[in-house]
Amino acid sequence: MLARIAALTERPRSFIRSFKYRRTDSIPNSRRREMDFTDLDSNATKCVNLRLCSVSGCMTEILEIRADRPSFHVVFVPGNPGVITFYKEFVESLFKSLGGMASVSAVGASGHTEKNWEHGKLYSLQEQIDHKIEFIKVQNIEAPLVLVGHSIGSYIALEMLRRLPEKAMYCIGLYPFLALNLQSKKQAVIVKVIMSRVLSTMVTLFVASLSLLPRQVLRLISELSNGKSWSNTAHEACCSHLPQYHTIRNVLYMARTEFIKLSETPDWEFMRENQEKISFLYGIDDHWGPLQMFEEVESNSLFLKSCISGL
């Protein structure tokens, strides 16, 4: 899914324009991903760096590749779970497809780390937004920003655009979660769990108990649950992070605050006023960003309609 998005781009401006409110029908596998980059400049190949960074006193996992002379800086915000190592291949592919002309920083969610750095502290959706804003301030990024978010990260990226109007030149939402999907049975089940202290505690304890299993068993569970199409890195991230008690508690707590906030009507006025700076990419089978939401976004902007009709 994310690798195809990265493969759309070769230059900074074409990168931005290539995201103009498109739909995708499929998710490429790892073999397709390798084929997409056979003709790219080898000079754009760099290893991604995983590091810890203190942001407002919160230890944060960062995936990063720095360009030598960046034209702009891509800041990527993950979905929920915000385990940033899930996105290792995406960060590498994005940097490579941009020809090494832009730096890429992927910022993990507060409290969604492998180690319990924050001693069990829980972070709401608003605190995750504040955390990403603070990251940009702490890093003192000089190049213009392109904000990219996945799922709920798209909502966070939009809020960052709102608060950084002079710094952020573009915002891209990948499979964006911007409002509740009342037609989704999965979301109905999730609501019942996260809004119940008893059920959320039971789920937390069950998932955390999986950490007692051997890593080979955890890997098998991950493959059976998520499919073998996942990369080795994604399976490893699932096994190392999600069974941690502090992580799964933060995942559920953040989800609870997401559902409360996203029960409100999206800020269409803000999106209309900034439509030249915003792009979304939807899939046909994503209950977090369903096609009816795509149509609602479309109906709230004349500019959107004109772009969609040409696809």
Side-chain angles (χ1 to χ4, degrees):
M1 174 178 66
L2 298 181
R4 167 174 287 186
I5 295 162
L8 293 173
T9 68
E10 290 183 359
R11 297 182 180 179
R13 287 310 286 183
S14 62
F15 161 61
I16 291 172
R17 294 304 176 192
S18 68
F19 283 97
K20 270 296 175 191
Y21 306 95
R22 300 191 176 187
R23 301 188 232 195
T24 59
D25 299 337
S26 61
I27 300 173
N29 57 30
S30 58
R31 181 176 299 176
R32 175 63 180 274
R33 182 158 54 240
E34 292 171 0
M35 292 171 62
D36 285 339
F37 299 111
T38 54
D39 60 344
L40 290 174
D41 186 353
S42 60
N43 292 329
T45 303
K46 284 189 176 183
C47 293
V48 64
N49 177 42
L50 174 63
R51 64 184 178 90
L52 284 172
C53 174
S54 178
V55 180
S56 296
C58 174
M59 294 302 291
T60 306
E61 293 178 346
I62 309 293
L63 278 178
E64 194 167 59
I65 306 181
R66 290 278 184 169
D68 295 329
R69 293 182 296 275
S71 299
F72 60 95
H73 195 122
V74 178
V75 174
F76 176 75
V77 184
N80 184 12
V83 178
I84 205 59
T85 46
F86 275 128
Y87 299 88
K88 178 178 180 290
E89 282 83 2
F90 171 65
V91 171
E92 292 173 334
S93 298
L94 181 58
F95 178 83
K96 194 171 184 180
S97 66
L98 292 172
M101 298 177 67
S103 297
V104 182
S105 297
V107 188
S110 305
H112 297 212
T113 51
E114 182 175 3
K115 293 186 178 181
N116 187 13
W117 299 105
E118 311 312 319
H119 308 290
K121 181 179 178 180
L122 300 178
Y123 293 87
S124 67
L125 174 61
Q126 184 58 53
E127 288 172 316
Q128 297 289 356
I129 296 170
D130 296 339
H131 173 257
K132 305 306 176 291
I133 296 290
E134 188 61 26
F135 168 79
I136 292 174
K137 294 179 180 179
V138 168
Q139 296 302 299
N140 193 27
I141 299 173
E142 297 181 358
L145 294 178
V146 171
L147 307 173
V148 181
H150 171 230
S151 191
I152 190 61
S154 301
Y155 177 86
I156 295 174
L158 281 173
E159 291 302 304
M160 294 169 70
L161 178 65
R162 187 196 304 273
R163 291 169 58 176
L164 299 169
E166 301 299 325
K167 187 70 174 174
M169 67 175 185
Y170 214 82
C171 176
I172 300 167
L174 311 178
Y175 302 83
F177 180 32
L178 305 177
L180 299 188
N181 180 5
L182 300 179
Q183 300 178 22
S184 170
K185 294 181 180 180
K186 290 183 179 179
Q187 288 191 26
V189 172
I190 293 172
V191 167
K192 291 181 180 179
V193 172
I194 61 179
M195 295 301 178
S196 167
R197 183 170 298 179
V198 173
L199 290 178
S200 60
T201 299
M202 290 175 61
V203 171
T204 299
L205 292 175
F206 171 74
V207 175
S209 69
L210 297 178
S211 64
L212 301 175
L213 298 174
R215 180 55 69 94
Q216 295 89 337
V217 177
L218 279 176
R219 175 61 182 257
L220 178 61
I221 294 174
S222 178
E223 290 180 355
L224 292 174
S225 302
N226 304 308
K228 293 185 178 181
S229 62
W230 272 30
S231 68
N232 180 66
T233 303
H235 282 300
E236 287 300 312
C238 181
C239 295
S240 63
H241 287 66
L242 292 187
Q244 302 299 326
Y245 179 76
H246 69 279
T247 299
I248 192 62
R249 281 191 72 209
N250 262 290
V251 167
L252 295 178
Y253 179 71
M254 180 179 172
R256 183 177 186 273
T257 60
E258 288 174 29
F259 275 65
I260 292 173
K261 182 62 179 177
L262 270 59
S263 63
E264 303 173 3
T265 302
D267 191 346
W268 300 121
E269 182 178 353
F270 172 76
M271 284 188 264
R272 278 194 295 269
E273 290 174 352
N274 293 274
Q275 58 188 1
E276 292 289 346
K277 292 184 175 183
I278 299 172
S279 292
F280 297 129
L281 182 125
Y282 282 86
I284 61 173
D285 57 353
D286 181 17
H287 72 91
W288 298 108
L291 289 185
Q292 61 261 31
M293 187 63 190
F294 171 86
E295 292 164 358
E296 191 170 353
V297 170
E298 188 179 14
S299 68
N300 276 277
S301 174
L302 294 174
F303 176 77
L304 265 174
K305 288 182 179 179
S306 63
C307 286
I308 293 296
S309 64
L311 292 177

